[in-house]
Each structure stands twice: as C-alpha cells, then as structure tokens.
Amino acid sequence: EPEVTQTPSHQVTQMGQEVILRCVPISNHLYFYWYRQILGQKVEFLVSFYNNEISEKSEIFDDQFSVERPDGSNFTLKIRSTKLEDSAMYFCASSDSNNYGYTFGSGTRLTVV
Amino acid sequence: LAKTTQPISMDSYEGQEVNITCSHNNIATNDYITWYQQFPSQGPRFIIQGYKTKVTNEVASLFIPADRKSSTLSLPRVSLSDTAVYYCPSEGNKLVFGAGTILRVKS
C-alpha cells in the first residue's frame, strides 16, 4: 500500500533556530497538506498546497512558516525561527482529490527547547 | 461553516459491535463523509468514506441517512487493537478535525 513518508521522525531544536520538515507524498497525488497536533490536543490544519501554490492556510500558518515542493517528489515545511509553542507532531498528508480520503504520514515530533 | 459533533468517549468489550455516531452540521451538498482512526503518536488513518446510504469495506461500515445530517461508523467485533481515537472530520477544501471519540476496548 502506498505511503506518505516523513523525515525525520523526531527533531530537537533550540528556540530561534530554523527547521525543515520533509515529506514524500504518494507519487500520483496532487493535493498536499500539513497538519500539526500539540500533545493531548486535536489535529489542526496548517496549510494545503496544489498546483505548486498554497490553496489555503490557517491562522497558525503565519510568516514564520513556509512550504515548498522543490522537486517532483518532496514537500517541505519550514519554520523560520522556532518557538517553544511550536513543539508538536507535524503530519504531512496527500490525496488525489480535494474531497477524497487523505493519506497521512507517521509524523515528525518536533521538540523546541 | 460545516462542523461535526461526536461523543467524547466510548467503552466496549472485545467481540462486540461498536457504533459511533457523528452529527454533521451544515454539511455541503458535494461533501463526502469520511472517518479516520488515530493511534497514539501516529497520523490519522483513513477508514471509510461515503456520500449517502451504506458503505462497507473490510474494516467497517458507514451508515448515512437520506438527510446526511449524521453518520454512523460501525465496527464489527472489535478487538483490543481497535482502541484508538476515531474522527469524522468536516470537509470542504480541507479536513477539519474535532476532538474525536476515544474508543476503549476492554477484554
């Protein structure tokens, strides 16, 4: 069964540092998403990406965040200057339609110290 | 704005059938209804999707009445490994997850 792959599985970074979270979506999917889940809380939408541009973003996705699809396979989330409250699980997802089931990756646990 | 409501938690025993109901407020005409499962420290996993009536796959059934204001996820003969959080996110251009239903299966 096709998978969405995320790397690294766990990243620890110091406050103020930049981090890049990487995702390899399913190859024939066209829609890409980032979500995050703070420990004990619900899964929150960050951003959706289609046709090489952001389709929609949430209030969480401020100027510190950016996404990129640098080549035909990778989809990245960059946090420019991390804050303690950015500590969370970050999930990448992809789908072949914007109203069909998403496939989520296993996540990157980001810890900001 | 579309929003879903579901019970916070449910308890069951191994071998029982579990039904989790979700209310879909302001569901759009062209939105599908989907259910996801999440284990601790893992991403949500797609379980099943439907638009109307009943859909069944190898793990679950989904019942959707004609008015589409609710849906019921049915898990036949649950086992301990079905202990997880179950979500019926609202749709539109993106999935919006609520708190989900924590299902605890006991032996």
Side-chain angles (χ1 to χ4, degrees):
Chain A
E1 188 176 326
E3 288 184 343
V4 172
T5 305
Q6 290 187 244
T7 55
S9 57
H10 190 185
Q11 178 149 3
V12 181
T13 189
Q14 291 207 325
M15 194 168 50
Q17 294 295 305
E18 174 184 285
V19 295
I20 298 176
L21 310 184
R22 291 182 166 79
C23 169
V24 179
I26 292 173
S27 61
N28 62 339
H29 283 185
L30 302 175
Y31 298 83
F32 312 110
Y33 311 87
W34 282 101
Y35 285 78
R36 80 171 186 190
Q37 186 173 32
I38 295 171
L39 187 64
Q41 298 187 25
K42 62 184 182 182
V43 179
E44 300 175 289
F45 168 77
L46 292 179
V47 65
S48 58
F49 193 86
Y50 170 73
N51 201 25
N52 284 320
E53 61 182 24
I54 291 174
S55 311
E56 192 168 347
K57 57 184 181 179
S58 70
E59 292 177 354
I60 303 168
F61 195 90
D62 61 20
D63 291 344
Q64 293 299 315
F65 292 87
S66 62
V67 290
E68 198 176 40
R69 188 156 162 80
D71 52 42
S73 59
N74 291 286
F75 181 50
T76 62
L77 174 70
K78 182 193 292 186
I79 308 174
R80 214 179 325 277
S81 177
T82 51
K83 303 188 275 284
L84 294 176
E85 54 265 37
D86 293 327
S87 295
M89 283 287 285
Y90 287 81
F91 296 110
C92 173
S94 69
S95 67
D96 58 4
S97 166
N98 69 345
N99 62 357
Y100 198 71
Y102 296 6
T103 301
F104 283 82
S106 54
T108 293
R109 181 178 298 282
L110 177 66
T111 303
V112 183
V113 297
Chain B
L1 196 64
K3 188 183 173 188
T4 60
T5 306
Q6 50 185 126
I8 294 172
S9 66
M10 294 181 71
D11 290 333
S12 182
Y13 287 93
E14 284 189 289
Q16 288 188 330
E17 177 185 80
V18 170
N19 296 308
I20 307 173
T21 297
C22 176
S23 297
H24 299 268
N25 299 312
N26 299 317
I27 186 170
T29 305
N30 59 344
D31 278 353
Y32 283 83
I33 290 173
T34 54
W35 282 81
Y36 289 77
Q37 175 193 56
Q38 186 182 30
F39 298 112
S41 298
Q42 293 186 28
R45 185 178 76 97
F46 172 81
I47 302 174
I48 197 166
Q49 174 172 306
Y51 185 79
K52 222 181 248 189
T53 63
K54 177 184 173 182
V55 179
T56 297
N57 63 20
E58 62 274 10
V59 298
S61 294
L62 179 60
F63 300 90
I64 303 170
D67 65 7
R68 296 188 358 106
K69 292 185 178 179
S70 67
S71 67
T72 299
L73 175 73
S74 180
L75 304 172
R77 298 179 300 281
V78 295
S79 64
L80 294 175
S81 62
D82 292 316
T83 294
V85 181
Y86 291 82
Y87 301 97
C88 56
S90 60
E91 293 223 359
N93 293 327
K94 65 197 184 280
L95 295 181
V96 177
F97 289 84
T101 297
I102 301 170
L103 172 65
R104 299 185 195 91
V105 179
K106 305 173 186 176
S107 58

